[in-house]
Amino acid sequence: MNLIEELVEKYTGSYSEEAKKTSVYSSGKYTFHPQNGVLELDGTKISINLNAVEGASRTAEPYRIVLYLDKEYQKPLKIFPKSLLKKLWYGAFPQKHSSLPDTIKKQFSFFGNQVLIDALGKDADFCKKIYNEKTFILLGKKFPKCIILTPAHGIVDLDQFEKFLQILKHIEAAIKSDN
């Protein structure tokens, strides 16, 4: 049983997968195996998508965890790990997000609604959970009703999976608390 199936079973959601598809490219033979899980956590719909790729080159499994908000919120948010260049830049010119702990400021770049960023910075549990995780989080204009979390290096186990779900729930709570 894979991680998506385990999580969906734990929260009594639904799971689906497509048949494996094989394609041959100049770089080698690749196998694609899309999987999808949908569950409800505290009244919020969450979908987990995995487009597993096997074959010629090893790639990280591109998980995408999407939390669906109840309505559109005009609070854009981007959180992503800082590159080495950005870390050096931060050393010279620190970010001005006063509510974010220094450990989080050094590790992540935050862009978007300043009130939302400040609320997340004051949430000690959120900061604890996101610390040392390499994730990309987006709530943007293209999908204003969805918070999308994409781990950079796949997901190791069910505990890490649930931690990502809790990170999304913290962001949802911060968005709704301001309205």
Side-chain angles (χ1 to χ4, degrees):
M1 182 179 293
N2 67 37
L3 286 174
I4 296 176
E5 285 179 297
E6 286 181 47
L7 192 68
V8 167
E9 184 177 297
K10 182 175 180 176
Y11 292 99
T12 59
S14 62
Y15 173 79
S16 65
E17 64 181 56
E18 294 179 23
K20 287 187 178 184
K21 300 171 189 167
T22 303
S23 297
V24 179
Y25 296 101
S26 60
S27 58
K29 182 178 179 181
Y30 291 91
T31 303
F32 302 95
H33 189 203
Q35 301 167 27
N36 186 346
V38 178
L39 56 98
E40 192 168 307
L41 181 64
D42 299 329
T44 304
K45 179 183 170 186
I46 297 175
S47 71
I48 304 121
N49 304 301
L50 170 67
N51 294 319
V53 179
E54 302 169 357
S57 67
R58 300 293 300 162
T59 59
E61 295 177 337
Y63 281 94
R64 233 175 98 149
I65 305 169
V66 180
L67 182 141
Y68 296 92
L69 298 167
D70 57 348
K71 63 179 185 175
E72 284 188 22
Y73 293 90
Q74 298 302 319
K75 297 184 180 184
L77 177 68
K78 289 182 187 178
I79 303 173
F80 54 90
K82 285 188 175 174
S83 65
L84 179 60
L85 183 61
K86 282 272 192 182
K87 288 179 183 179
L88 293 172
W89 182 264
Y90 171 78
F93 307 102
Q95 281 182 323
K96 296 178 182 168
H97 302 299
S98 59
S99 66
L100 292 170
D102 284 339
T103 55
I104 301 301
K105 284 186 215 177
K106 289 177 185 175
Q107 188 177 357
F108 290 97
S109 291
F110 285 76
F111 294 100
N113 184 292
Q114 191 60 46
V115 174
L116 177 57
I117 292 170
D118 289 341
L120 292 173
K122 292 174 184 171
D123 185 347
D125 197 37
F126 169 80
C127 293
K128 180 182 171 189
K129 286 184 182 2
I130 200 169
Y131 182 68
N132 281 339
E133 292 291 347
K134 292 220 181 247
T135 61
F136 299 86
I137 300 172
L138 175 66
L139 171 62
K141 293 178 183 175
K142 189 172 182 180
F143 301 105
K145 289 180 71 173
C146 302
I147 306 170
I148 302 168
L149 185 146
T150 306
H153 301 294
I155 298 175
V156 177
D157 57 11
L158 193 58
D159 291 335
Q160 187 183 29
F161 219 146
E162 288 183 325
K163 184 194 294 187
F164 289 147
L165 294 179
Q166 291 167 3
I167 288 170
L168 288 171
K169 290 299 285 181
H170 281 284
I171 295 171
E172 177 190 36
I175 289 170
K176 290 182 176 182
S177 70
D178 190 37
N179 283 335

